[in-house]
Amino acid sequence: MEISAVGVTATDLARAVSSYSLLGFSFPPVDDGEEHVESTNAGARLMIDSAELITGLLGEPPRPGNTSALAVLLPAPGQVDGLVNRVAAAGHTVVTAAFDAPWGQRYATVADPDGHRVDLYALLPG
């Protein structure tokens, strides 16, 4: 078994795509009125659905969780810091600033424009 995709919802699909693109995800162009888009990166896909689509499917508006998160592995610890700085400079939320975690990772958490958490990490040397 493997996780093949992770989905999040967005009140503004283009804004969410822009946010996740900062983190290294690639997407096809988003047309006006689009309700679903998927990343084109290798590996597990990131799917972003409009809040309206999900409300229609589930019968209630989506609510981002406060403890579940996507996790993005970066090649080097310094890249965690660089990415956190770019996210902050773009006006997005840094939930947890980058730090050396006791479990051997350079680790940080950011949030997309709708509040979905994204953990950023890289293995520390040694």
Side-chain angles (χ1 to χ4, degrees):
M1 181 174 71
E2 70 180 58
I3 295 174
S4 65
V6 174
V8 297
T9 58
T11 54
D12 181 328
L13 206 60
R15 182 180 69 175
V17 165
S18 176
S19 173
Y20 283 101
S21 293
L22 276 174
L23 302 180
F25 290 92
S26 298
F27 297 92
V30 177
D31 295 326
D32 287 339
E34 193 91 35
E35 293 191 295
H36 174 87
V37 66
E38 295 184 12
S39 66
T40 57
N41 302 68
R45 293 167 298 150
L46 174 61
M47 303 181 303
I48 307 175
D49 292 307
S50 72
E52 294 81 15
L53 174 65
I54 297 303
T55 299
L57 291 173
L58 301 180
E60 64 181 355
R63 294 178 304 276
N66 67 351
T67 58
S68 61
L70 305 174
V72 176
L73 172 63
L74 299 167
Q79 291 180 330
V80 174
D81 296 80
L83 196 48
V84 167
N85 291 338
R86 284 197 307 274
V87 166
H92 299 293
T93 302
V94 175
V95 177
T96 305
F99 70 102
D100 289 345
W103 53 86
Q105 298 172 346
R106 184 71 176 162
Y107 188 89
T109 302
V110 298
D112 78 7
D114 289 284
H116 299 285
R117 305 290 202 256
V118 181
D119 295 337
L120 308 172
Y121 72 99
L123 301 177
L124 291 170

